[in-house]
Amino acid sequence: MIVTSSRNMSIPIETTTKISDLPVNLVEEILSKVPLKYMRAVRLTCKEWDTLSKSQSFSKMHIDKLRAVKEGESMIITMMDYNLYLMRVVLACNVDPFIECKGKLTCLDKQIKISQVFHCDGLLLCVLKDDYTKVIVWNPYLGQTRSIEESRYYSLRPDGWNKFTYALGYEDKGSSCRGYKLLRFIDKYYNAPIEQFLWYEIYDFDSATWKTLDVTPHWRILFSHETGVSLKGNTYWPALQRNMEEDVLDNHIICFDFTSESFGPLLRLPFDIGDSDYVTLSCVREEKLAVLLTHNEAGPMEFEIWITTKIEAEKVSWSKFLRVEEPDIDPLITADSFFIDEEKKVAMGFEEDYSKTFNIAGEAGYLKKLKLVERLGGDIHCRAKACSYVPSLVQIKQPAAGGKRKHTKMT
């Protein structure tokens, strides 16, 4: 800055440009480079940044950069000891694979304990460890949450039975509009038919109401598969015929269609399952399903993975992707969750037994063991579970002010 005196002498004066003095588009460009884990801090810095970070132009710019994942990179959310962590897995060419913990994700302005997490369309459905009266739906990118109180029929659970299965999905309503819904059910099958207990209900975000569904299942979804896999708004679980013996494992999958609010038929898996086998589902780029079969009936522990070539609520076809014979008696990848990279033709996941080891296994004996120690510290007291994650701009619709919880029964 130059100031001219009365004697026509120019006197230079130093000035400092504050970020608030910059054009809005330049501030957007600067803040769009902030990693996802720091966006909450950005919004809490000042009212102007909070407003800017929620604007359509900024959100689109930031989300495009987050989604422009480099080749061989993927983002996952991992639940360890009831906490959520954002992680990056890198399988780039000419670089040794590695996994990086980007930081802990915090919901509701404090660290609540989470017992289950489910991903759908950039939203996380969080089931709380110490509070059975509500669940939280959360968009980590936008920092939006919605607390959903359990229905009054929660008290009907038998003998304090808390083993609900949850799912989050949506109904396409045209013009890029989606109506989100939450499914919750109990299927207590022990000592059937004497001690059977069934309860299916669905929550509609638009109407803020619970509705009881009239379901007579011809299938069983075991509670060990409490977390299904979301694909194109619907949810899939491993399942078996309801009249099968207790020790017969899942040999089918089943889909819940959130548009029709109904389950489809049992869809056969592409293999037979033995007594010591485990079946796990995963989503591939939000386009396909992958199924992991872990078994050791033939002698050495081994696993194989199949992926769908066509997938609908009532029809599926499969193609074998990978088969790996495991060097140890313990599985390389936990039966709780796994991921694949189609191009590199590898499978990825955490080891069993409360491990911080993330394994990458492929053909011809390829195996990389990655130690995850950064920022976690301490021992792991429960097995790690993970889901793929893609940031989104989905706005979580809030209930109308003063609205009351409603419940209707399907007729």
Side-chain angles (χ1 to χ4, degrees), residues 10-169:
S10 296
I11 304 173
I13 299 178
E14 292 186 3
T15 61
T16 301
T17 300
K18 297 182 292 185
I19 195 168
S20 58
D21 298 326
L22 299 176
V24 173
N25 61 338
L26 182 55
V27 177
E28 287 184 344
E29 177 65 31
I30 294 171
L31 295 182
S32 71
K33 300 180 185 298
V34 175
L36 174 63
K37 63 178 179 178
Y38 295 125
M39 283 308 300
R40 181 171 175 273
V42 167
R43 296 187 179 100
L44 293 176
T45 299
C46 61
K47 184 177 180 181
E48 289 75 14
W49 284 15
D50 179 60
T51 302
L52 183 147
S53 68
K54 295 176 181 177
S55 69
Q56 190 67 27
S57 59
F58 172 82
S59 296
K60 186 178 187 307
M61 181 188 302
H62 197 203
I63 212 78
D64 286 346
K65 291 185 178 181
L66 289 172
R67 284 184 166 178
V69 179
K70 297 179 182 178
E71 182 180 353
E73 293 189 10
S74 56
M75 303 294 289
I76 64 174
I77 287 180
T78 301
M79 184 177 73
M80 287 184 169
D81 282 347
Y82 308 110
N83 296 308
L84 298 184
Y85 299 88
L86 180 65
M87 299 186 181
R88 181 172 68 116
V89 182
V90 179
L91 299 174
C93 296
N94 303 318
V95 177
D96 285 339
F98 67 90
I99 181 170
E100 176 188 15
C101 179
K102 305 295 288 184
K104 184 184 291 187
L105 296 176
T106 303
C107 179
L108 298 180
D109 297 325
K110 61 181 179 179
Q111 190 56 54
I112 57 177
K113 297 298 182 181
I114 296 172
S115 63
Q116 298 178 46
V117 62
F118 183 90
H119 175 254
C120 172
D121 202 27
L123 304 181
L124 300 181
L125 168 62
C126 300
V127 180
L128 308 184
K129 175 180 177 291
D130 302 316
D131 187 349
Y132 295 115
T133 66
K134 64 178 180 289
V135 295
I136 305 296
V137 177
W138 178 23
N139 185 327
Y141 171 71
L142 293 180
Q144 294 180 345
T145 61
R146 177 166 173 173
S147 177
I148 299 175
E149 293 183 36
E150 305 283 12
S151 74
R152 60 189 176 90
Y153 289 88
Y154 184 88
S155 60
L156 294 177
R157 65 194 190 281
D159 303 323
W161 184 265
N162 292 326
K163 295 185 177 181
F164 287 88
T165 299
Y166 295 83
L168 181 66

Side-chain angles (χ1 to χ4, degrees), residues 273-313:
I273 300 173
D275 292 341
S276 301
D277 296 349
Y278 300 91
V279 172
T280 312
L281 296 180
S282 181
C283 182
V284 184
R285 298 195 316 275
E286 301 185 344
E287 298 173 358
K288 307 175 184 178
L289 281 184
V291 58
L292 166 70
L293 170 65
T294 304
H295 62 92
N296 61 357
E297 279 192 292
M301 181 73 72
E302 63 181 19
F303 71 78
E304 60 184 68
I305 294 175
W306 295 66
I307 59 176
T308 58
T309 55
K310 183 177 183 179
I311 180 72
E312 298 174 1

Side-chain angles (χ1 to χ4, degrees), residues 177-188:
C177 180
R178 292 172 174 174
Y180 290 86
K181 302 176 184 181
L182 165 66
L183 173 71
R184 187 184 75 157
F185 62 89
I186 298 178
D187 187 349
K188 184 180 180 183

